[in-house]
Amino acid sequence: MSKQMKPESLMMSYGYKPELSEGAVKCPIFQTSTFVFKNAEEGKAFFEVAYGHRNLHEGEELGLIYSRINNPNFEILEDRLALWDKAEDCAVFESGMSAITTVLFEFLKPGDLLLFSNPVYGGTDHFIRHVLPKFGIQLAEFRAGQSKDEIIQIVEATGLADKLALVYIETPANPTNDLIDISLSKEIASYFANKNNSEIPLAVDNTYMGPLWQHPLEHGADLVLYSATKYIGGHSDVIAGACLGSNKLMARVKALRTFLGNMASPNTAWLLLRSLETLKIRMDTQAANAEKVAAFLSAHPKVEKVYYLGNITENDGEQFHIRNKQCLSNGAMISFDIKGGEKEAFLFLNGLKLIKLAVSLGSTESLAQHPASMTHVDVDEELKALLGITPKMIRLSVGVEHYEDIIYDMSQALDNISI
Ligand SMILES: *Cc1c(COP(=O)(O)O)cnc(C)c1O
């Protein structure tokens, strides 16, 4: 019965049995490294399942063994996160980067080819370009706006099309809000999978929109990734990550997590359980605020261009169709170009009083930063120019404050700039 309820109704209770914790209404923090077995036979049975020597019997659950393998806090968190994306299984990590890098390592081996979209989060970009090649992994890349045929051409031009093993995309892309078509990316993965008679999963970093505003699994993605530090955590007080997908793929992700040891701690999981209770109301408020803030910026004489999903119109062609197809909201991330350059952008940032000058996003407080010199400083200069990440760009994550106060703060900071 509970399966049919909306996820927001289940965030306070799903997967937790009070009778196992002295009736405590809230799940306590299971701050323990290991769990006592009732007898040796039970320990043996748990290990058989944990190490894949046999499958679970009908109705059997994997018993608690050791907090690198399982722990009530992170298991309940995984069950609750799976509800939003209607995923079979979920794995939580100590950071978004550890979720992303675990997936890259699990599905790529030396000699393989990775196809990825641009731009991606700065840390992901660094890992793909500077770490994966050390393990003999080859790269092919594309960006928003390129057609299916063009992308297939890019892969074929590498001469390694038969080695394509994973497609990795991020949409909307950070910081430009460029959209990548999820179902088209899956078609490309399937095209090569059929040719090569192999499996080529599609992984989507859904941090910007998730887990409420976009459900990549419904559009053909095989794996969804989150920096849970952002909307899921939502209070700028915890670093965490998550990966969701089918039981089959997640068994591989979880096995590598066990051996890398980068699972979320009981304390991190407990903080996220608390955050999930207000996820829907926070994100609803943030999206409603963002609409007002984007309207203000779009009409401001000192603002040259606003990058916001709500500003995409029919004139933007493919981007308009992709947004309507896969985004359930326009989100709460807005980038904009100030008239001028770095000097004017810095005058604005230094003039903010309520909005904090900090990287990260998706939190209760509004945050502003300068992608070209901060989050995306590591991105190749030429690529930055091509993608439109220029010194006049500001990225804003809209929080839950009253929208009039956010707008007032931006307005007075824009007044600092003389043009
Ligand atoms: C922040 C972020 C990450 C990295 O997550 P951490 O929790 O900081 O490790 C990955 N992708 C996107 C889109 C992000 O915004």
Side-chain angles (χ1 to χ4, degrees):
M1 174 198 97
S2 56
K3 278 281 189 197
Q4 278 135 33
M5 289 187 184
K6 300 272 190 291
E8 61 266 34
S9 307
L10 299 173
M11 287 302 110
M12 284 61 77
S13 58
Y14 188 74
Y16 170 65
K17 297 178 188 135
E19 64 273 21
L20 298 181
S21 296
E22 305 280 5
V25 71
K26 288 290 142 175
C27 179
I29 305 179
F30 286 83
Q31 191 69 48
T32 185
S33 58
T34 193
F35 297 86
V36 178
F37 303 135
K38 286 198 191 81
N39 50 47
E41 287 75 12
E42 187 186 76
K44 178 182 174 181
F46 290 177
F47 267 92
E48 281 171 352
V49 175
Y51 280 74
H53 293 188
R54 68 168 174 90
N55 291 326
L56 287 168
H57 302 308
E58 189 70 24
E60 186 191 19
E61 280 181 47
L62 175 60
L64 294 163
I65 298 176
Y66 183 68
S67 287
R68 179 157 47 71
I69 298 170
N70 52 15
N71 174 287
N73 292 110
F74 79 59
E75 292 192 323
I76 294 168
L77 173 64
E78 289 169 350
D79 290 346
R80 290 188 190 170
L81 280 173
L83 294 177
W84 294 98
D85 278 298
K86 298 194 180 78
E88 283 177 12
D89 200 9
C90 171
V92 288
F93 291 83
E94 204 46 43
S95 69
M97 281 312 299
S98 57
I100 292 166
T101 55
T102 301
V103 162
L104 292 171
F105 272 145
E106 177 55 32
F107 295 95
L108 294 166
K109 60 181 187 312
D112 280 349
L113 179 70
L114 167 70
L115 174 67
F116 70 104
S117 66
N118 270 305
V120 286
Y121 176 72
T124 310
D125 187 83
H126 179 92
F127 190 84
I128 289 176
R129 291 179 198 282
H130 302 293
V131 180
L132 290 182
K134 287 201 269 187
F135 293 86
I137 291 152
Q138 314 281 325
L139 309 175
E141 51 195 282
F142 69 101
R143 60 193 147 76
Q146 289 184 304
S147 71
K148 184 175 166 183
D149 287 344
E150 280 176 290
I151 301 168
I152 288 175
Q153 267 305 311
I154 290 170
V155 173
E156 276 169 352
T158 61
L160 297 163
D162 60 330
K163 299 283 188 206
L164 184 63
L166 181 69
V167 179
Y168 181 97
I169 65 172
E170 185 177 316
T171 181
N174 173 11
T176 53
N177 273 334
D178 281 327
L179 298 172
I180 308 279
D181 191 325
I182 299 169
S183 52
L184 183 107
S185 302
K186 181 61 186 177
E187 284 172 30
I188 293 165
S190 302
Y191 171 82
F192 288 104
N194 288 338
K195 269 181 96 161
N196 302 344
N197 195 22
S198 63
E199 278 183 43
I200 304 176
L202 168 66
V204 180
D205 183 336
N206 198 36
T207 300
Y208 249 53
M209 296 299 269
L212 258 78
W213 300 328
Q214 180 169 269
H215 297 125
L217 297 177
E218 290 176 5
H219 299 277
D222 300 291
L223 293 164
V224 185
L225 289 156
Y226 291 106
S227 167
T229 310
K230 313 298 165 54
Y231 288 103
I232 294 172
H235 294 73
S236 298
D237 57 7
V238 65
I239 300 276
C243 176
L244 298 100
S246 66
N247 285 327
K248 189 170 157 227
L249 295 181
M250 292 309 298
R252 290 179 58 180
V253 173
K254 284 187 165 175
L256 186 57
R257 180 185 66 174
T258 289
F259 298 109
L260 291 174
N262 54 1
M263 69 296 156
S265 71
N267 200 61
T268 292
W270 184 86
L271 278 169
L272 293 178
L273 285 174
R274 183 169 175 148
S275 291
L276 281 184
E277 299 189 6
T278 54
L279 182 71
K280 172 106 180 13
I281 55 173
R282 282 187 279 115
M283 290 182 76
D284 281 351
T285 302
Q286 287 172 276
N289 281 350
E291 202 174 318
K292 307 271 194 206
V293 172
F296 161 78
L297 286 169
S298 302
H300 200 284
K302 288 180 187 168
V303 174
E304 194 173 287
K305 183 171 176 190
V306 179
Y307 306 78
Y308 168 62
L309 296 190
N311 283 17
I312 297 175
T313 67
E314 227 152 333
N315 297 334
D316 297 301
E318 225 18 61
Q319 291 285 301
F320 181 73
H321 296 295
I322 302 173
R323 187 203 57 194
N324 293 352
K325 181 168 66 170
Q326 68 193 33
C327 304
L328 302 169
S329 156
N330 292 316
M333 292 301 296
I334 303 171
S335 291
F336 59 98
D337 292 339
I338 272 189
K339 282 188 185 152
E342 186 182 274
K343 180 170 158 261
E344 287 72 19
F346 281 15
L347 273 171
F348 168 79
L349 289 169
N350 292 338
L352 292 169
K353 295 193 164 81
L354 175 70
I355 300 168
K356 294 287 171 286
L357 169 52
V359 300
S360 199
L361 61 101
S363 190
T364 43
E365 70 280 309
S366 295
L367 298 174
Q369 64 109 5
H370 188 247
S373 68
M374 297 173 191
T375 47
H376 291 68
V377 67
D378 208 25
V379 178
D380 175 74
E381 285 304 323
E382 226 172 279
L383 183 61
K384 250 192 277 197
L386 193 68
L387 298 170
I389 307 171
T390 63
K392 61 187 168 184
M393 179 185 268
I394 305 278
R395 187 189 78 181
L396 178 73
S397 168
V398 180
V400 300
E401 304 92 342
H402 197 290
Y403 70 87
E404 286 172 359
D405 295 329
I406 302 171
I407 290 172
Y408 173 80
D409 194 31
M410 300 189 79
S411 173
Q412 64 80 27
L414 282 162
D415 288 345
N416 284 351
I417 308 167
S418 49
I419 39 170

